[in-house]
Amino acid sequence: MRPRLLAIAATCAGLLAAGAVLPGTADATAPAPATAARPATSPAARAVGVIAGEVRSVTGAGLAGVCVAAVAGSAAVPALTETGGRYLITGLVPGRYRLVYGACAQARHYVTSGAPRPVSVVAGRPTLARPVTLRAVGAVGAVPAVPLAIAGLAKGSPAISGTVRNARGKPLAGICVTASEYGAGGVPPSGPGGGAPGGAGTTTNRHGDYTIPAKATSPGPWVVGFTSGCGNKGDYAPQWWKYAATGGKAKVLHIRRGSYFAGIDAKLGPGAAISGVIRAKSKSGPGLKGVCVFAMGLGAAQDDSGLAISGAGGKYLVTGLGSGRYFLDFEPCGPSGNYAQGNYPTPVAVTDGKTTKGIDWYLTLAGEISGSVATAVTPHAPISGVCVLAIGPLSSGIVQISIGEATSGRAGGYSMGGLTPGKYEVEFDPNCGASGSYESQYYDGQSNPELANEFNVAAGQHLTSIDASLEPAGTLTGTVTSATGQDLSGICVLVSPDVQGLGPALADLPPGFAGLAYGGAGVTSARGTYRIKDVIPGNYEVSFAGGCGSPKTSGYAAQWFAPQGGSVPAWLTVGTSVVPNINAALRRGGTIKGVVTNAAGKPVQGICPLAYPTSGEPVSVVAQLYGDVGSGSNRHGSYQFTGLAGGTYAVQYSPCGSAPYATSWYGGNGDQSSARAVSVKDSEVTASVDQRLTAGEEITGRVTAAGGATFKSVCLTLLDSSGNLVTSTSTSASGRYSIRLVAPGSYQLQAGPCDSSTLATVSKGVTVGRSGPATGTNLPLPLAGVIAGQVSGSPADGDAGTIALPGICVTATPVSGSGAPGFAFSAGSGRYKLTGLAPGKYQVTFSSQCPYGPPMYASLTLASPVTVTSSATATASGTQLADGEISGTVTVQGAPAVGVCVLAYPASGGGGPTLAETGKAGGYQVAGLPAGGYAVEFTKGCGAASYQTQWYDGASSRAGATTVTVTYGLLTHGIDAH
């Protein structure tokens, strides 16, 4: 996944939870509903990351027992610092996180000397966070803003308590105890120290006792883990309650409001350890001090991990592991010099109570890059606070990306070492503390990551002048109140761009690509205000939803920015300046409530419903996740959620955790097309929206490869007939797979190699009935074919000839055969290549309505389908016509009118408008118009709020508007309004 996608995906992680689909995304790209299945245990399929760091006091001593949480959106993954202040947060989905700190079991409170910068997490690769220093304050001093579930031992009635002893029955002090939510978002726990979206931590006292308060947990399924290190210097194997050696065998505690679990005890036995020496440059080189050694469990031990730092002579000792196999990663994290990260070549097997010795390895010299960041406009002022991300080569044997990170300083300069030799691309992201508003950029001067200029970094090489000149971007500001004028805090503000023309291929984009459908996101402050910067100039819709950080606001209905009134969103043109007064007055939303039962009619607890609008309202997922719905249906099977705008909805029911029920839709089966519409009115309750669940059926089969080709594993995706992602999995090495808990319905099963391969991705229809499993659903993977070609365009000024078009979205939609849709960007030369296609015929479309495409060219679909055959390349090129444009001036009583929306609607054939906004001189220019007739509207909404709507030429309604004719490649001017 590209770094920009990682950053956006992390920003919106809480909004996309539980399969939610927000404006501008495709249903098929949403996360899968929760299932009881554990993730695959192979290194390649695990695809999670780790953050490691150190917490110190002002004296430099490490602080044990401090709560640390990695926060992305509304999700927080907890951990506790161990002896020496070190911590390890495991089981992280790749993305962008910020770190927060809490006092946890400490009697004292702490504050940081400065806000930690965000950190990036990639799959299978530890991320080293800079050490943080905490300053002790008095009981009445300031306490950092930490999510409640991470805050640990706040006073209140207990929810979980117990005692930890060793194998001889002696109480153990200083043992880390972490309670983690089980199965939220379909993810089982990933270790006693973290891995779930929420958790609470503490340490045992001198009597071995611990208590986790009720206010640090929420209703739902939880697991409790125990590890050594929070002040206890002993080497103990990790353990899960109830006396389980692996996370997969942990016993789940189903917490309810007011419930209390006592006797959640542990009896820890001796742990396993790994020791060795880390050397410089070769196996016989000198020892390296200050190298972080990460041990990440594989297979049955996948929930275990450990961390150590090499000392004098490069010696290290990783303790506190459980029996199993571990992948070892070595990365400089101290005064070791500029060396590249390295991996031990084979997994290391360990046994409880024993030390596996002689695990020696060496690190080679790393590369280094440096440069500066400045504004693209004169006088090219330096920009501080820009994150510089270097994404490099994949390592062999595990899903692992070499990544470097730095932040530009006051003079705009940066320097980044520790780069593994190989080819890199560099992103400059202003959303890391830069004071201005700028567009992200890829080296060298590209906004499209697909056009980034990659370069080689050799061992020991220092490349200079890897610079960036950032273009200015726009900023949106506004205030959100209630209908009665009360300022509302904790309201989500989402900015969605005008991305059209992608068609069904959007469902087949790489994971995280849907994040590009966001221009930005923000949350209102205590005064109801917000400010969203770094918005790339373009046309956007803005929506508001309650509950984002404040459950008190979850009852307010989601709403579009629509100053003209009604429920139709107003398009907004954003340039390089501040667009003010994007305000909203939210009304109270409607409520849906009902009861969930099983096939026998008994109530089912822990089922999470979500409502998807079907009549044009903005999605209010945040309100549903953080409002009255809580963690799902209660023990009586009852549920309700609020904050729904008036309209019709399809309601989906999925287990919040590991409940063995299939995801289904209200009044129907597992296919959204079967859902019965639920009508909602503002401030009213729609009751008796009840659903009866079933355990569903199983889909099993085998994936084989044509031509004797081999594969490590195949990734499978199950979609319903509406394109919604139901679940995903991967095959075993033999190609066999099993998909459980599937409700009756019609589905599409897509299968393709998880890694790059000569094999194609195929799709097959599957019907699941009520009488038994769908066995023998086999999928043969043929050798892949390719479609490649050139994308050109006619000059926008009407001159003869053609020019190469970069950044064009090219989609291939199958019209025959068993293939799945394909997608690619055109490169700087206009060339593109669609790979992994199964034999068959495909409809090929070129569209500039693409996140990075030139906006002034009409979409083009080739007249004849393209035939693809195995192991062959088919050629398909196209020339897109330059769109036409409309321009004019808007005045009020002879004075230029600023901030007026100008919308051009196609006169025939339907479709949405293309818009522009009047500038300081009252002028505007609507670009990107295909040839044809248009009705042009002048209205408020683009920063102006007091103008009366008018249609060209002086008409008061669209019916009376004079049609404006547009020709390809030409400007139609003089379309004025007074």
Side-chain angles (χ1 to χ4, degrees):
M1 193 185 296
R2 299 284 181 178
R4 176 65 174 170
L5 305 185
L6 295 176
I8 297 175
T11 300
C12 300
L15 307 178
L16 292 173
V21 181
L22 299 178
T25 70
D27 289 352
T29 60
T35 68
R38 293 188 58 79
T41 56
S42 68
R46 191 177 179 204
V48 294
V50 172
I51 296 176
E54 184 176 337
V55 178
R56 303 169 180 168
S57 69
V58 291
T59 64
L63 290 173
V66 174
C67 270
V68 185
V71 180
S74 62
V77 182
L80 292 174
T81 58
E82 301 182 355
T83 303
R86 295 190 296 272
Y87 64 87
L88 199 63
I89 307 176
T90 64
L92 298 173
V93 175
R96 199 95 168 118
Y97 293 82
R98 62 184 177 90
L99 298 174
V100 294
Y101 305 86
C104 244
Q106 297 278 339
R108 310 168 94 181
H109 294 299
Y110 296 93
V111 294
T112 59
S113 56
R117 66 175 183 162
V119 294
S120 296
V121 172
V122 294
R125 167 73 184 274
T127 296
L128 296 178
R130 291 178 178 175
V132 65
T133 299
L134 300 186
R135 177 172 55 85
V137 297
V140 296
V143 179
V146 181
L148 181 61
I150 309 302
L153 288 180
K155 293 182 179 180
S157 58
I160 303 171
S161 67
T163 303
V164 181
R165 297 180 172 86
N166 63 16
R168 299 189 303 274
K170 180 181 177 181
L172 295 177
I175 296 295
C176 306
V177 184
T178 307
S180 300
E181 287 185 273
Y182 182 92
V187 181
S190 185
T202 187
T203 61
T204 57
N205 61 22
R206 62 190 180 92
H207 303 293
D209 299 328
Y210 73 91
T211 300
I212 294 176
K215 66 186 304 181
T217 62
S218 60
W222 290 70
V223 293
V224 181
F226 309 88
T227 55
S228 57
C230 289
N232 190 298
K233 298 181 180 180
D235 179 12
Y236 296 99
Q239 188 176 108
W240 284 255
W241 193 79
K242 187 176 183 181
Y243 308 117
T246 64
K249 296 182 179 180
K251 185 175 179 61
V252 177
L253 300 177
H254 293 277
I255 295 178
R256 303 170 183 172
R257 287 184 174 85
S259 61
Y260 171 38
F261 290 91
I264 308 303
D265 304 333
K267 184 177 290 186
L268 303 186
I274 301 174
S275 68
V277 177
I278 306 299
R279 302 184 182 276
K281 300 182 182 180
S282 69
K283 293 181 179 179
S284 58
L288 275 180
K289 181 180 179 181
V291 175
C292 277
V293 182
F294 300 90
M296 293 179 282
L298 304 174
Q302 68 170 348
D303 298 316
D304 295 348
S305 58
L307 165 66
I309 301 177
S310 62
K315 296 180 181 180
Y316 74 88
L317 176 66
V318 181
T319 61
L321 304 177
S323 293
R325 297 164 61 247
Y326 290 81
F327 172 81
L328 291 188
D329 178 277
F330 308 103
E331 188 158 345
C333 59
S336 53
N338 189 29
Y339 289 90
Q341 170 267 346
N343 306 322
Y344 195 72
T346 59
V348 177
V350 301
T351 304
D352 286 349
K354 297 182 179 179
T355 298
T356 302
K357 301 179 180 180
I359 309 302
D360 306 333
W361 199 240
Y362 64 95
L363 300 185
T364 59
L365 286 174
E368 185 177 1
I369 64 172
S370 62
S372 62
V373 185
T375 59
V377 296
T378 54
H380 306 297
I383 308 174
S384 63
V386 174
C387 275
V388 186
L389 304 173
I391 303 298
L394 288 170
S395 295
S396 60
I398 192 169
V399 179
Q400 183 166 340
I401 303 173
S402 182
I403 184 171
E405 185 172 5
T407 304
S408 61
R410 291 183 179 179
Y414 75 91
S415 180
M416 181 192 305
L419 299 180
T420 302
K423 185 174 290 186
Y424 284 82
E425 67 177 37
V426 177
E427 182 195 14
F428 301 89
D429 183 358
N431 192 26
C432 288
S435 58
S437 184
Y438 304 97
E439 295 186 33
S440 291
Q441 186 181 108
Y442 292 82
Y443 183 78
D444 185 18
Q446 300 293 335
S447 61
N448 185 346
E450 298 298 324
L451 306 182
N453 181 14
E454 295 184 324
F455 53 86
N456 283 307
V457 178
Q461 183 183 23
H462 182 183
L463 294 179
T464 60
S465 301
I466 307 299
D467 305 330
S469 298
L470 302 189
E471 297 288 345
T475 300
L476 272 64
T477 64
T479 303
V480 181
T481 66
S482 67
T484 59
Q486 177 186 1
D487 294 337
L488 296 180
S489 64
I491 299 293
C492 286
V493 186
L494 302 179
V495 182
S496 305
D498 182 13
V499 180
Q500 302 173 6
L502 297 182
L506 185 61
D508 197 51
L509 297 183
F513 186 90
L516 289 173
Y518 293 92
V523 182
T524 58
S525 68
R527 296 183 177 180
T529 59
Y530 70 90
R531 183 181 184 89
I532 301 173
K533 65 185 191 71
D534 305 329
V535 180
I536 298 174
N539 296 330
Y540 295 89
E541 293 174 323
V542 180
S543 63
F544 308 88
C548 191
S550 176
K552 294 180 180 179
T553 63
S554 62
Y556 288 93
Q559 182 175 301
W560 295 110
F561 173 64
Q564 72 276 19
S567 59
V568 178
W571 283 102
L572 188 71
T573 297
V574 177
T576 59
S577 59
V578 176
V579 182
N581 302 320
I582 309 304
N583 305 327
L586 304 187
R587 59 194 183 276
R588 284 287 178 178
T591 297
I592 291 178
K593 62 189 305 183
V595 176
V596 183
T597 57
N598 60 18
K602 295 183 178 180
V604 177
Q605 183 179 10
I607 300 298
C608 284
L610 286 173
Y612 297 86
T614 58
S615 51
E617 295 75 28
V619 175
S620 57
V621 170
V622 174
Q624 297 174 43
L625 293 177
Y626 295 96
D628 294 336
V629 66
S631 59
S633 55
N634 61 23
R635 60 191 180 92
H636 303 293
S638 299
Y639 75 89
Q640 74 171 27
F641 44 78
T642 61
L644 300 177
T648 58
Y649 293 82
V651 181
Q652 183 189 51
Y653 301 85
S654 299
C656 304
S658 57
Y661 294 97
T663 295
S664 63
W665 295 83
Y666 172 65
N669 52 33
D671 190 336
Q672 183 178 351
S673 64
S674 69
R676 184 190 308 169
V678 178
S679 180
V680 174
K681 295 182 180 180
D682 290 344
S683 303
E684 294 187 10
V685 176
T686 302
S688 301
V689 184
D690 305 331
Q691 182 74 352
R692 179 164 293 189
L693 303 180
T694 67
E697 300 295 345
E698 184 178 20
I699 303 174
T700 61
R702 186 177 183 182
V703 180
T704 56
T710 60
F711 53 82
K712 294 181 179 179
S713 64
V714 171
C715 291
L716 295 101
T717 301
L718 188 68
L719 308 174
D720 71 9
S721 64
S722 300
N724 299 309
L725 177 63
V726 178
T727 189
S728 59
T729 187
S730 59
T731 64
S732 64
S734 65
R736 297 191 180 278
Y737 72 91
S738 172
I739 303 175
R740 299 176 57 247
L741 305 174
V742 181
S746 297
Y747 302 91
Q748 283 290 321
L749 182 61
Q750 291 186 3
C754 298
D755 52 0
S756 58
S757 171
T758 58
L759 297 174
T761 297
V762 300
S763 180
K764 181 177 183 177
V766 179
T767 300
V768 176
R770 301 179 182 275
S771 57
T775 59
T777 307
N778 301 323
L779 296 98
L781 299 189
L783 295 175
V786 174
I787 299 177
Q790 173 78 36
V791 186
S792 304
S794 59
D797 55 10
D799 291 346
T802 60
I803 57 175
L805 295 184
I808 296 294
C809 283
V810 186
T811 60
T813 305
V815 294
S816 69
S818 60
F823 174 84
F825 285 109
S826 62
S829 62
R831 301 290 300 176
Y832 76 91
K833 180 183 286 188
L834 287 160
T835 59
L837 301 176
K841 292 186 176 182
Y842 293 81
Q843 183 182 69
V844 177
T845 299
F846 306 98
S847 174
S848 64
Q849 297 298 311
C850 194
Y852 302 107
M856 67 290 291
Y857 288 89
S859 295
L860 171 67
T861 298
L862 297 185
S864 301
V866 178
T867 300
V868 174
T869 57
S870 290
S871 304
T873 298
T875 301
S877 299
T879 300
Q880 297 177 249
L881 294 173
D883 284 329
E885 298 176 289
I886 294 174
S887 69
T889 303
V890 181
T891 59
V892 176
Q893 296 179 348
V898 181
V900 174
C901 282
V902 185
L903 299 93
Y905 293 83
S908 61
T914 303
L915 85 154
E917 178 184 349
T918 58
K920 292 182 179 180
Y924 74 89
Q925 188 164 320
V926 182
L929 298 175
Y934 289 85
V936 180
E937 179 187 23
F938 305 89
T939 186
K940 62 184 179 180
C942 291
S946 59
Y947 301 126
Q948 185 175 357
T949 296
Q950 183 183 120
W951 294 78
Y952 184 75
D953 184 20
S956 59
S957 67
R958 180 171 180 173
T962 299
T963 299
V964 177
T965 300
V966 173
T967 304
Y968 279 121
L970 297 179
L971 171 65
T972 302
H973 58 83
I975 310 302
D976 304 330
H978 308 283

